[in-house]
Structures are given as C-alpha cells and as structure tokens.
Amino acid sequence: MSAKSEWRVGVAGLGTVGAGLLNFLSERSDFAPAGAGARVTGVSARSRSRPRPVDISNLPWFDDPVALAASDEIDVFVELIGGSDGPAKIAVETALKAGKPVVTANKALIAEHGAELAAIAEAAGVPLLFEAAVMGGTPAVKMLREAMVGDEVTAVAGILNGTCNYILTEMEASGRSFAEVLAEAQRLGYAEADPTMDIGGFDAAHKITILAALAFGCAPTYGAAEIEGVEAIELLDIRLAKDLGYRIKLVASAARSDGGVSVRVHPALAPHEHPLARAGGALNALFIEGARIGRIFIQGPGAGAGPTAAAVAADIADVMTGAVRPVFQKPAGELKAFTPVDAAHTHGRAYIRLLVRDEPGVIAAVSETLAEAGVSIDSFLQKPVEGAGGVPIVLTTHAVAEKVLTEAVRRMAALPALLEPPRMIRIA
Ligand SMILES: NC(=O)c1ccc[n+]([C@@H]2O[C@H](COP(=O)([O-])OP(=O)(O)OC[C@H]3O[C@@H](n4cnc5c(N)ncnc54)[C@H](OP(=O)(O)O)[C@@H]3O)[C@@H](O)[C@H]2O)c1
C-alpha cells in the first residue's frame, strides 16, 4: 500500500472541517512525507447546491456517504460528517469492511463506538485514525498513541472544550453572566445554536474518553464518564474564586489507579499560576503524567477549519506511509472497558460557597457542620457582594474523600440560614 504514487481520497462532510481539508489538499496535494500525492476523487454532503467556501464543481459527487465509502474510486475514506450514529457510523463501517483506511474527526463516534470499530479495522488490517477528534490541531492523540508508548501514563487532565473555555474567560474578563456570554458566543459562531454538547460537558467527555483509552490501553467507555457542565457557574463564583487566587475552568481528567480508571468532566478551580488557569479564550490545554517521563504540557487550538484540517491531513499522511498499529494500543480483542473508581477512594479539595442570611451564629453553624462531617477547612472568606441577595460565605477545604465532601454539603443544605443550596466546585 505504501508504494502508491497517488492516494485517492474520499471526503464525506464538507462543513467547517471538510471544506478546510479540501482547501488544504487543493493547495498542498504533495504535503505527505511519503513522497506520494493525495487527490480528492469523491465528495459527499447533504446538499450539493449549498454555497461553500471551496469549489466542488469538478469533484465527483456522491449523494450517499456510504456509497462513497464503498466506492472503488477511493483508497482512503475521510469522515467529517459528525454524530455518534447514523450515516457517519455506517459509512465508516462500510469503508473499513471494504478494506479502506479511515480518517475521522468524529469524537462522538470514536468515544461511543471506538472498540467495535477498532475490531472491524483490525480484522480488515487497515488503520482507523482520529487525531482531529481531540484538541483539533494540537497533537494529543499521536502523543499518547505513539510518543508515550515507552512509558506508563498514569493521568491526563486538561481543558478540552474551547467553547466553555471562551465563555468562562469572557465572564471573568467582562463581568457578564453565563447567559449573556453564551448568547454572544452563539452570535459570533463560537457556540452552536444548540450548545448542549459543549456546555453540558459531553463534548469534553467524548474527548477525555478517547484519551483515556489511548493512555491506558482500554476500550473507550463513554458511559463510565462522570459529567458535569458549566451551565450552573455564576459570576459570583468566578469573582469569589478570583479573590481566593483561582480561576474556574471546565477540566476533563482521567486517572488510573489500582481501583480502576476514573474519567470525569467538571468545573474546577485552578490556581492563577497553574498552566490550565492561564489557558484563556478558546485555547485547549493538556497535561500528561508519565511514570518515567514525568509531566508533559501541551496547549493549542482545539477547533477551527485550518487547525482541524491539518490534523486530518497528518492522519492521511500516516495512512500513506503504511503504518498499521492497534487502534487503542492493544489488539481490539483484548480491550477491556474502564472499571470506574469508587467515590470512597477518590480524594480532593473543594470550594464551597454558601449564600446566607446576615444573622449571628451562622459561621459557627457552618463550621460545626463541616467538623461533624469530618471536613477540615483550609481558608474561609465572608464577603458582602453587591447584588448577591445575602452574604456569601466561601471556604476551601483540605483534601478529603469525595464521599465525605458530598455528605458535608448535604448536611449544610439543611441549615436554616441558607438562602439557596450550597455550591461546591472541586479544586484542581
Ligand atoms: N469544527 C471544528 O472545529 C471541529 C474540530 C474538531 C473536530 N470536529 C469534528 O469534525 C466533524 C465535522 O465537524 P464540522 O464542524 O465540519 O461540522 P459541520 O460544519 O456541521 O459539517 C458537517 C458536514 O456533514 C454533512 N452532512 C450532514 N449529514 C450528512 C449526511 N446524512 N450525509 C452526508 N453528509 C452529511 C453536512 O452537509 P451540508 O454541508 O450539505 O449540510 C456538512 O457538510 C464532527 O465530527 C466534529 O465533531 C470539528
């Protein structure tokens, strides 16, 4: 396969990434280090007549992406439609079964069906590559899949959703509410009309599920991810966290321990000097912890036509060089699902914010409740905030079992002086 002088590429999906890829290939068909060229010999999208930022009038058109995937006119199939099921999945399965290498940017597909697709790819002896599915143009997948195989990765953690990072950064910078900044992001095209996948944490969960599978040699197990989004983050918490020296970020993390693999996405406070706190706007950032190499940090664009198409092109180049390796580090038949870690075995620090009536004895009641639950306080801040509708009390805890923290918050919620339920955000 690697001796071909030209690779015929079929591209299904001509939206942001697909159009970016066609533009790239029309300008740089000789980009691959293999010395061969890449030529688009088939395209598919929903609407043939839709105006696009790239001229497709001379390219063979397929109404059905599955027909393109099966076509004898292509050597490699690139799936840029999106969605965990439906035409994207059927087309990818069809291409793999026809013995064609597949490149995709589809995180939902890989996170939810990666193991079964890996089995089909390995049975057919063809690669299934998805660099663009995580962190867009920033090479996180290749880092874990290739560069870290000489080490044992113990944990990965980062900011994997640019939309949430943009919203949180703008809230802090402009003092506007979550709803206002989200509406602006939608107007500017940074957020989808239906932002649920992004702000609910599901997109980041797809991505960290893929990274966990690569890091630990497991089947991607999306259903095992604990997911909390940023919808409930209030400006008040952003301001109070700032006063304590922290910035709120949506952190996606995966860690391996004797108890299993924990995969989670949740808002977290990162100290101002922490690299994750410094990654602002739509940037993505990732830490990788290796037992031998130590800690690696990468940061870069996580989306956009140019960066994402570059990552797709890098995978096409890998196909052209002919390397075939297991999709998730181990042969597909040996992949096991993640075993989630019991909350009794996870420890951490937390920020807890209460809004209370201004009356004597409240602070004593809060301290007693925490002490009874077994939580020790690291710092305490009581600060009148204009327009808060009560007095915010903020405390940070020392590290404690998550189960204990949850119980402490449950008990505090019953205190009569509370004006609303306590807000707990973990500290990174
Ligand atoms: N945008 C990014 O920056 C980015 C970054 C990393 C990964 N990704 C991933 O890349 C993939 C593509 O994202 P995108 O932003 O380029 O999406 P997009 O702009 O919404 O484009 C989707 C494309 O798929 C086509 N399509 C939809 N349903 C189809 C069907 N049934 N048959 C054939 N074509 C169909 C659409 O056709 P029409 O154009 O005719 O409607 C459109 O061209 C997704 O998996 C996404 O998660 C995107």
Side-chain angles (χ1 to χ4, degrees), residues 14-17 45-47 50 52 80 82 87 105-107 132 303-304 308:
L14 302 174
T16 305
V17 186
R46 240 175 333 212
S47 157
R50 179 183 198 154
R52 301 187 189 277
L80 302 171
N106 190 337
K107 54 222 121 175
T308 311

Side-chain angles (χ1 to χ4, degrees), residues 5-26:
S5 62
E6 183 181 74
W7 283 74
R8 300 168 305 162
V9 182
V11 182
L14 302 174
T16 305
V17 186
L21 180 67
L22 292 197
N23 271 326
F24 173 84
L25 291 176
S26 69

Side-chain angles (χ1 to χ4, degrees), residues 81-350:
I81 295 171
S84 60
D85 293 276
K89 180 167 183 262
I90 300 167
V92 166
E93 285 169 348
T94 302
L96 293 173
K97 285 178 184 164
K100 294 183 203 305
V102 169
V103 173
T104 177
N106 190 337
K107 54 222 121 175
L109 177 71
I110 299 299
E112 296 188 32
H113 302 293
E116 58 183 276
L117 296 175
I120 300 172
E122 287 172 28
V126 289
L128 166 62
L129 301 172
F130 42 85
E131 179 59 61
V134 186
M135 293 183 83
T138 309
V141 169
K142 285 195 204 307
M143 179 98 92
L144 286 166
R145 195 208 289 263
E146 297 166 27
M148 298 298 290
V149 289
D151 201 351
E152 281 109 57
V153 177
T154 53
V156 287
I159 295 171
L160 301 180
N161 184 273
T163 305
C164 290
N165 209 34
Y166 171 83
I167 291 172
L168 295 173
T169 305
E170 278 301 302
M171 284 173 75
E172 182 184 329
S174 67
R176 285 175 297 159
S177 71
F178 179 83
E180 282 174 289
V181 177
L182 171 61
E184 181 194 67
Q186 287 172 313
R187 262 197 318 278
L188 296 171
Y190 297 156
E192 305 277 341
D194 176 0
T196 315
M197 288 302 287
D198 290 321
I199 65 173
F202 307 108
D203 172 80
H206 279 141
K207 294 166 178 168
I208 193 69
T209 296
I210 295 171
L211 295 185
L214 291 166
F216 310 134
C218 304
T221 316
Y222 179 64
E226 283 175 49
I227 309 168
E228 182 189 335
V230 294
E231 309 95 319
I233 297 295
E234 292 178 32
L235 196 53
L236 176 61
D237 292 308
I238 289 184
R239 286 187 179 142
L240 292 168
K242 190 175 178 186
D243 288 347
L244 290 166
Y246 295 95
R247 197 161 268 155
I248 300 178
K249 295 289 183 184
L250 184 70
V251 175
S253 62
R256 176 167 54 183
S257 67
D258 293 343
V261 170
S262 75
V263 176
R264 26 177 31 184
V265 174
H266 56 74
L269 271 67
H272 278 150
E273 64 283 4
H274 194 288
L276 290 185
R278 289 163 176 259
L283 275 178
N284 280 202
L286 183 74
F287 277 106
I288 301 173
E289 292 275 355
R292 292 180 186 80
I293 298 173
R295 182 171 263 210
I296 294 169
F297 179 66
I298 53 172
Q299 174 180 298
T308 311
V312 173
D315 277 347
I316 297 174
D318 279 357
V319 168
M320 291 163 79
T321 54
V324 181
R325 52 201 306 155
V327 179
F328 296 104
Q329 311 292 21
K330 287 186 186 141
E334 294 174 22
L335 293 172
K336 295 201 172 60
F338 306 155
T339 315
V341 177
D342 186 337
H345 300 298
T346 51
H347 286 67
R349 299 179 59 215

